[in-house]
Structures are given as structure tokens and as C-alpha cells.
Amino acid sequence: MLMVRFPKQHPLIEALVEVFTDHADPEKAAAMTAYMKNHFPFVGLQKPVRAELQKEFLAAAKNESITTVHKIVKELWSLPEREYQYVAMELLVATKRKWNEDSLLVFETLALQRSWWDTVDLITSKLFGGYC
């Protein structure tokens, strides 16, 4: 029997997904998804809760090399729930001092994939704007 194997997630992402899943709120997730015109599913973590739950992840991830940060950001961006895209952008903001020319390509990827008003505003102002 052929088994399909998916690439293993970075251990920091695995831990973050576990924490977010443990605190998921299906009712809030449904409301948040509806607010975003059903374009993106949500775990159901409003910003104050998400901010608290992601602290440990951000503290550890921002110590990684910028190359690893870029990989983590791309992995987070590929996850279906919108909260992970928010964490990806916050990780990039937290690692601003490490940005390099490759960071611009990452910003461009984020702006062109899964983009909506909630991400494009931050990408243009904090990421592209911060780089320039």
C-alpha cells in the first residue's frame, strides 16, 4: 500500500498548532469565518487570546536565523486557518533587524497568496514599509 507522506512541520509550528488546537473555539471560528466572507477558516482565537498563546512561539522563533524564519513563515502561511497567517506576519515584524533581500521575496509571496484586506494592510505598512 502506498503511503503519502507530507513534509514534517518545524517543531515550533507543531507546538503552536497544538496550543492553538487545544484552545480552539468553534463558535468564534464560525463567526470569524463569516466575517471574512467565508474566504478563510479560523481556529477561533481572537487577538488577545492568540497574542497570549503565541508568546512562547514568537520568543523561540525570533532566535532562529532569518533563513529559518522565512521557512517557518512560509509553513505558517500554508496552513488553512487564518490565525497562522497573523502569527507569520508578527514573526516577521519581530525579526525586522534580521531582514535581508530575500525577505522582500517573502513579503511579495505573502502579499500575492491568500491575500485579503486583513493581511495586505500589515504587509504593505509594516513589512514593505519597514524594509524601505
Side-chain angles (χ1 to χ4, degrees), residues 77 85-93 118-119 122-123 127:
W77 207 259
Q85 285 92 58
Y86 299 151
V87 174
M89 292 183 299
E90 291 181 28
L91 175 57
L92 285 169
V93 170
D118 63 326
T119 56
L122 192 139
I123 292 167
L127 301 181

Side-chain angles (χ1 to χ4, degrees), residues 22-68:
D22 288 347
H23 292 84
D25 186 328
E27 283 184 28
K28 287 185 177 144
M32 294 164 85
T33 299
Y35 178 75
M36 295 298 280
K37 309 272 188 213
N38 296 308
H39 286 285
F40 311 102
F42 282 79
V43 176
L45 303 174
Q46 293 176 316
K47 187 171 182 175
V49 174
R50 179 176 45 83
E52 186 61 35
L53 295 175
Q54 72 190 21
K55 277 183 183 178
E56 191 174 317
F57 168 84
L58 288 176
K62 71 181 185 180
N63 292 320
E64 298 286 341
S65 71
I66 193 62
T67 301
T68 301

Side-chain angles (χ1 to χ4, degrees), residues 87-128:
V87 174
M89 292 183 299
E90 291 181 28
L91 175 57
L92 285 169
V93 170
T95 58
K96 182 177 181 176
R97 292 179 186 251
K98 295 181 180 184
W99 291 351
N100 59 26
E101 288 182 20
D102 292 337
S103 300
L104 285 174
L105 298 173
V106 173
F107 304 163
E108 178 182 29
T109 298
L110 303 186
L112 296 174
Q113 296 177 2
R114 303 176 57 111
S115 57
W116 197 246
W117 64 266
D118 63 326
T119 56
V120 172
D121 288 351
L122 192 139
I123 292 167
T124 56
S125 64
K126 300 250 181 189
L127 301 181
F128 282 117

